[in-house]
Amino acid sequence: MPVPDAAIRAKRKLTNRLIAAHDGARLRPHLTDDMLLIVGDGGLIQGADAVVSAFASQFADPAFVAYVRTTETVEVAADGHRAAETGRWVGRWKPSVGTGAVEMSGVYMAAWRESRGQWLLERELYVTLRTDTP
């Protein structure tokens, strides 16, 4: 089994690729059933199925491009079964009729839980710090 830091960083890169591919169904196995997601504007999404559904709604928007989360730190609990990840995120949308391209960005924190040798996302908090429209 890879060391937790490397495994979590690899999972983050994988979930970035799944979001860029607009493949919400393949995100589900990487989330705990009781997943909680606080989105950039402070809204709360409860449960893995609701998180996947929220992604599906964004993927239906033809202007949505992707979210890219870039890991800065991973700290593993002493027992080796939980970890905290921090980093920066960027969301991008293509220009649409009447609007320019949009880019949002900020910071995030994620809580991971090890289960049967796999690291799963159990909590994520995103804070939007910037919105740019050219």
Side-chain angles (χ1 to χ4, degrees), residues 103-124:
E103 182 172 293
M104 299 172 76
S105 61
V107 297
Y108 74 91
M109 190 272 179
W112 293 82
R113 183 186 319 156
E114 185 273 328
S115 177
R116 295 182 218 141
Q118 294 293 316
W119 285 95
L120 304 175
L121 279 162
E122 67 176 348
R123 307 286 184 262
E124 286 188 309

Side-chain angles (χ1 to χ4, degrees), residues 89-93 100-105 128 130-134:
W89 68 272
V90 176
R92 292 186 178 92
W93 289 259
V102 175
E103 182 172 293
M104 299 172 76
S105 61
T128 302
R130 191 172 178 151
T131 302
D132 294 319
T133 53

Side-chain angles (χ1 to χ4, degrees), residues 47-119:
D49 293 336
V51 170
V52 171
S53 178
F55 274 112
S57 292
Q58 286 206 300
F59 299 160
D61 175 357
F64 177 74
V65 177
Y67 291 113
V68 175
R69 289 81 43 88
T70 304
T71 304
E72 292 180 344
T73 67
V74 174
E75 186 172 339
V76 181
D79 69 4
H81 296 290
R82 294 198 73 214
E85 172 197 7
T86 61
R88 307 216 40 100
W89 68 272
V90 176
R92 292 186 178 92
W93 289 259
K94 295 182 254 185
S96 57
V97 176
T99 67
V102 175
E103 182 172 293
M104 299 172 76
S105 61
V107 297
Y108 74 91
M109 190 272 179
W112 293 82
R113 183 186 319 156
E114 185 273 328
S115 177
R116 295 182 218 141
Q118 294 293 316
W119 285 95

